[in-house]
C-alpha cells in the first residue's frame, strides 16, 4: 500500500474511532456490495432495457442525491 494511502486510511479510521482493520473490512464490504449492485442493475437493464432519466432522477431523490445535470 502506498504510504500516502496508508496514512489516509489511518486518519479515516481515527476519525471514525475504529481500528484500521475494521475500517478496511468495512471498505471492502462496501466495495463488494457496490459491485453486486452494479451487476444486478446491469442484469435488470439487459432484461428490461435501459433506465430512463426520470427513473434515475427518482432513484437519486429517494437516496437523497441530487439528479445528475451532466447527462445529454
Amino acid at each position: 500500500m502506498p504510504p500516502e494511502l496508508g496514512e489516509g486510511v489511518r486518519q479515516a479510521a481515527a476519525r471514525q474511532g475504529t481500528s484500521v482493520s475494521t475500517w478496511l473490512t468495512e471498505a471492502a464490504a462496501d466495495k463488494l456490495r457496490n459491485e453486486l449492485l452494479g451487476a444486478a442493475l446491469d442484469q435488470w437493464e439487459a432484461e428490461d432495457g435501459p433506465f430512463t432519466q426520470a427513473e434515475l432522477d427518482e432513484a437519486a431523490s429517494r437516496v437523497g442525491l441530487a439528479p445528475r445535470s451532466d447527462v445529454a
Side-chain angles (χ1 to χ4, degrees):
M1 179 182 299
E4 61 277 0
L5 180 58
E7 181 58 28
V9 168
R10 285 187 288 281
Q11 290 175 5
R15 283 192 301 272
Q16 291 182 359
T18 191
S19 69
V20 168
S21 177
T22 297
W23 192 93
L24 288 170
T25 298
E26 290 172 357
D30 287 346
K31 183 166 179 63
L32 288 172
R33 272 191 300 275
N34 287 340
E35 286 183 11
L36 291 171
L37 176 58
L41 292 173
D42 289 345
Q43 181 65 33
W44 185 310
E45 286 189 305
E47 293 174 4
D48 296 323
F51 294 107
T52 66
Q53 190 58 49
E55 289 170 326
L56 295 172
D57 289 349
E58 170 81 13
S61 174
R62 286 179 181 240
V63 296
L65 300 173
R68 287 182 52 181
S69 60
D70 63 338
V71 290

